[in-house]
Amino acid sequence: MKNELQLVLNQLDDIEYGFVDNNKNIYPDNLKNWNNNFSELYHLQSPEELIKNKYGVCWDQVELERFYLTEKNIESKSYFIIAYDNKQEPTHTFIVIKADKYYWLEHSWEPYRGIHEYNSLNKLLNDVKIKFEKSIKKQSIKDYKLAIYEYDKPKYNLSCIEFMDHCENGLKINV
């Protein structure tokens, strides 16, 4: 299984972190202050758009991972983690595969890029939660409420708010 997942991950090698707006303008991660405009300019790309544009946030990259996994007949589930802080509300999406073990397939979150293996879904989700909390504390976010949702494949071209609503209408997970 790990070899098949590595092949999927390798297909994302030329995808960079950033986003593309509806006018096809590219906002690479190194562009200062793109977070200020993200909620107004973002739309969820289809896998085909992401392959063409080469820039996507985790939300886009998870859909491309789902696309490649589906091509290989590998079942996956997608998860959305959010820190409700009444300001930034940082989020992350990720893909989980259940086979002989549970696998967290990660491309967009560079420090954790790779395939992570766990004996249970609960251990996997707790590990992602701990890593996510460490990352938001580095952003000086102190007062927040954390939530994790399992969500279904969304429609493409959703706005930022529409995508978040889609995820938050999924199955809330208690971790």
Side-chain angles (χ1 to χ4, degrees):
M1 175 58 69
K2 278 184 109 172
N3 289 339
E4 288 180 85
L5 296 179
Q6 188 59 55
L7 291 172
V8 168
L9 205 53
N10 292 347
Q11 289 179 280
L12 278 82
D13 278 350
D14 61 346
I15 304 297
E16 300 288 331
Y17 194 83
F19 75 98
V20 179
D21 68 19
N22 282 319
N23 295 320
K24 307 293 182 222
N25 297 309
I26 295 173
Y27 296 81
D29 188 36
N30 62 1
L31 184 64
K32 302 261 189 248
N33 296 325
W34 68 256
N35 279 327
N36 295 342
N37 298 322
F38 182 79
S39 61
E40 293 98 42
L41 299 175
Y42 176 80
H43 76 281
L44 182 66
Q45 298 179 81
S46 70
E48 295 81 9
E49 287 176 295
L50 181 54
I51 291 166
K52 180 183 173 199
N53 295 325
K54 308 276 189 233
Y55 282 90
V57 296
C58 59
W59 302 354
D60 306 296
Q61 293 187 36
V62 161
E63 292 313 311
L64 183 54
E65 290 166 355
R66 184 193 316 270
F67 175 79
Y68 288 139
L69 289 165
T70 301
E71 279 187 336
K72 294 183 173 294
N73 293 316
I74 299 173
E75 240 179 84
S76 64
K77 293 192 177 191
S78 48
Y79 293 86
F80 175 80
I81 187 168
I82 183 168
Y84 295 108
D85 69 342
N86 296 317
K87 290 181 196 166
Q88 296 175 314
E89 296 191 337
T91 69
H92 184 61
T93 57
F94 55 100
I95 283 277
V96 172
I97 296 93
K98 181 183 182 224
D100 53 326
K101 297 193 179 230
Y102 289 86
Y103 298 93
W104 164 27
L105 187 64
E106 182 61 53
H107 183 266
S108 69
W109 197 359
E110 202 165 331
Y112 303 109
R113 185 174 286 171
I115 302 162
H116 308 270
E117 183 179 307
Y118 303 85
N119 290 323
S120 73
L121 180 60
N122 194 46
K123 285 184 181 184
L124 185 156
L125 294 174
N126 271 310
D127 189 40
V128 173
K129 176 185 166 187
I130 289 165
K131 288 171 171 52
F132 185 72
E133 286 185 305
K134 284 181 185 175
S135 78
I136 61 176
K137 286 178 181 168
K138 286 180 185 175
Q139 298 173 46
S140 299
I141 297 171
K142 293 177 177 66
D143 296 321
Y144 60 88
K145 183 179 176 196
L146 201 71
I148 299 177
Y149 300 88
E150 179 185 312
Y151 68 95
D152 294 328
K153 179 180 172 182
K155 295 178 194 170
Y156 302 128
N157 207 36
L158 296 177
S159 70
C160 176
I161 300 303
E162 290 170 331
F163 180 77
M164 291 175 70
D165 286 346
H166 172 81
C167 294
E168 292 168 322
N169 283 314
L171 175 65
K172 189 169 185 183
I173 308 290
N174 294 321
V175 179

